[in-house]
Amino acid sequence: EVERVVVTGAGGRTGALVMERLLAGGVDAVGLVRSEKKARKLRRRLARATGRGGDELEGAVEAGDVLDVERLERLLRGADALVLCSSATPQIKKRSVAWALLNKLVRRSVRPSFRWPKDGEPEKVDWTGALNQLAVAKAAGVRKVVYVGSMGGTQPDNFLNTIGEGNILVWKRRAEMSLVLSGLDYTIIHPGGLTNEEGGQRQLLVGVDDELLDGPPAARRIPRADVAAVAVACLSLRSAANVSFDLASTDLEEGAEPTDIETLVSSLGGKSCDYTINAPPGSDLEPFLNNQERARDWIQQWRDMTSQSMGKLEQSSGVAEPKKQVQRWIQNWKDRTADRAAEAPAASAADEAPAVDSEA
């Protein structure tokens, strides 16, 4: 059982629900939000949900940035697990709303446009910020990471990637791939469209590789409360170890029995999402999709490098030096990925048949 859990992105609606569940279950949980304003708001919410006083919740919420490695080091020190709910959040352009409404009057469909706040772009939050969290979590000895992402990662033309030209699912997929290769015990959850409906009222569905998106519309959505319940349960489920899956729900059915989450995850039967599908350009697996041996060789080298870097961290003392080493490790990983992508030769006809398997 986990005793201390850090939740990043705790100011979001799903992250806040994760915090509520953890605290209600007696877990020592600490949530990271982006500002002091969000911290105060979350403390008030948690006080209402748990019946605890403000003083008791003072240390349960911290304001900070996932781009701040030193802050992450302090936050994750002594933690058993990390629930990664952090995500870039787009801001709608107000003028584009007016334009969309005007077009609606003449029966033309025009979507509003979005922008990303400074340092809040998907590349920074969902890639660099996530990589920071994983590197620091490994250095701190965190035993479990639950990553809450999104369905749609296998679809290069998914609408979410067009928002503000941010390619948010591409950056999330790259981060997930780095988690898979990190050596950390992980569970990656891809929820469908998130709703604010009450949890525990629907049958939950699991799948892989966006297969649920081919089903009825109801099977593409899920209440945030149900996502939070699954995320918290996966912290201690053996069947959720090192697996990546999609999550959705059925329509509301009166008298429906709540889904047993352990049975739900076990129903995957060993299946996990295949990251060779729509691998992001320049990602660690992209150059090796057609050559299993080259892929296994590179992944082993990456793991050796990770192990050596973490060994150096363990021998370090103080805060400044570990921070520098984590930053060097992150940069080395990025450089190594870019170098491998540039150096990989084009696949020959003889290379076209094999594909990287899940074990590699």
Side-chain angles (χ1 to χ4, degrees):
E1 293 294 322
V2 295
E3 295 182 1
R4 185 172 186 274
V5 180
V6 171
V7 181
T8 57
R13 284 173 284 186
T14 304
L17 289 166
V18 170
M19 284 292 295
E20 287 180 11
R21 278 194 160 266
L22 289 169
L23 292 173
V27 177
D28 177 14
V30 182
L32 181 68
V33 300
R34 292 181 180 176
S35 66
E36 287 295 344
K37 181 180 179 180
K38 285 181 176 287
R40 291 191 294 271
K41 182 179 178 180
L42 180 57
R43 289 190 193 102
R44 290 194 295 268
R45 173 175 175 159
L46 295 176
R48 291 192 300 270
T50 65
R52 300 188 188 185
D55 291 343
E56 293 180 83
L57 295 169
E58 188 64 32
V61 184
E62 290 195 22
D65 195 322
V66 293
L67 298 177
D68 185 343
V69 172
E70 189 171 335
R71 171 63 67 118
L72 290 173
E73 286 176 335
R74 290 198 301 269
L75 195 65
L76 285 162
R77 191 175 296 130
D80 298 307
L82 166 67
V83 181
L84 196 157
C85 295
S86 56
S87 179
T89 305
Q91 297 176 342
I92 195 166
K93 294 180 179 179
K94 294 180 181 179
R95 289 183 181 178
S96 73
V97 176
W99 179 244
L101 291 174
L102 285 172
N103 276 275
K104 191 174 182 180
L105 293 176
V106 294
R107 297 184 179 181
R108 284 192 303 188
S109 179
V110 176
R111 285 175 170 163
S113 54
F114 297 82
R115 65 180 180 83
W116 302 97
K118 186 177 183 302
D119 292 330
E121 303 89 344
E123 181 177 0
K124 290 187 177 179
V125 177
D126 294 287
W127 169 234
T128 302
L131 200 59
N132 287 349
Q133 293 176 64
L134 301 183
V136 174
K138 182 146 189 174
V142 168
R143 293 188 284 111
K144 178 75 182 188
V145 175
V146 174
Y147 180 109
V148 181
S150 173
M151 273 204 275
T154 67
Q155 301 175 330
D157 57 349
N158 190 283
F159 166 70
L160 293 178
N161 283 325
T162 69
I163 295 176
E165 299 180 351
N167 287 316
I168 188 167
L169 295 182
V170 175
W171 295 113
K172 284 183 181 293
R173 197 160 178 82
R174 288 191 69 178
E176 291 170 21
M177 292 166 74
S178 68
L179 174 54
V180 169
L181 296 176
S182 70
L184 289 159
D185 182 346
Y186 67 87
T187 302
I188 299 171
I189 303 170
H190 300 137
L194 297 169
T195 72
N196 293 321
E197 296 165 303
E198 187 178 352
Q201 305 295 309
R202 296 163 174 76
Q203 288 295 303
L204 302 185
L205 309 170
V206 290
V208 295
D209 302 328
D210 292 327
E211 61 189 9
L212 295 178
L213 293 178
D214 295 327
R220 304 171 197 168
R221 301 189 298 269
I222 184 169
R224 287 181 170 86
D226 285 326
V227 177
V230 172
V232 172
C234 285
L235 287 169
S236 54
L237 285 181
R238 288 187 179 181
S239 56
N242 299 325
V243 65
S244 175
F245 60 89
D246 305 334
L247 180 66
S249 65
T250 62
D251 274 327
L252 180 63
E253 295 179 23
E254 191 172 342
E257 290 290 323
T259 302
D260 179 80
I261 297 175
E262 183 170 9
T263 302
L264 176 76
V265 177
S266 296
S267 71
L268 287 165
K271 291 192 297 183
S272 189
C273 291
D274 180 359
Y275 286 96
T276 67
I277 300 172
N278 193 35
S283 63
D284 47 10
L285 292 183
E286 170 96 345
F288 313 102
L289 288 174
N290 298 316
N291 190 312
Q292 286 180 325
E293 274 206 37
R294 217 164 31 189
R296 291 194 184 101
D297 175 65
W298 185 82
I299 291 169
Q300 187 56 53
Q301 289 180 37
W302 187 88
R303 286 175 173 160
D304 291 344
M305 184 189 73
T306 303
S307 177
Q308 292 167 8
S309 297
M310 292 305 107
K312 291 177 182 177
L313 277 172
E314 290 171 1
Q315 296 168 10
S316 302
S317 59
V319 174
E321 188 57 27
K323 177 184 176 183
K324 289 178 183 176
Q325 294 215 40
V326 169
Q327 291 172 331
R328 282 198 295 270
W329 180 77
I330 292 168
Q331 190 58 52
N332 287 342
W333 191 89
K334 289 181 176 178
D335 292 344
R336 197 177 183 87
T337 300
D339 290 345
R340 290 283 173 172
E343 293 171 4
S348 65
D351 288 331
E352 290 177 3
V356 177
D357 58 33
S358 59
E359 192 173 339

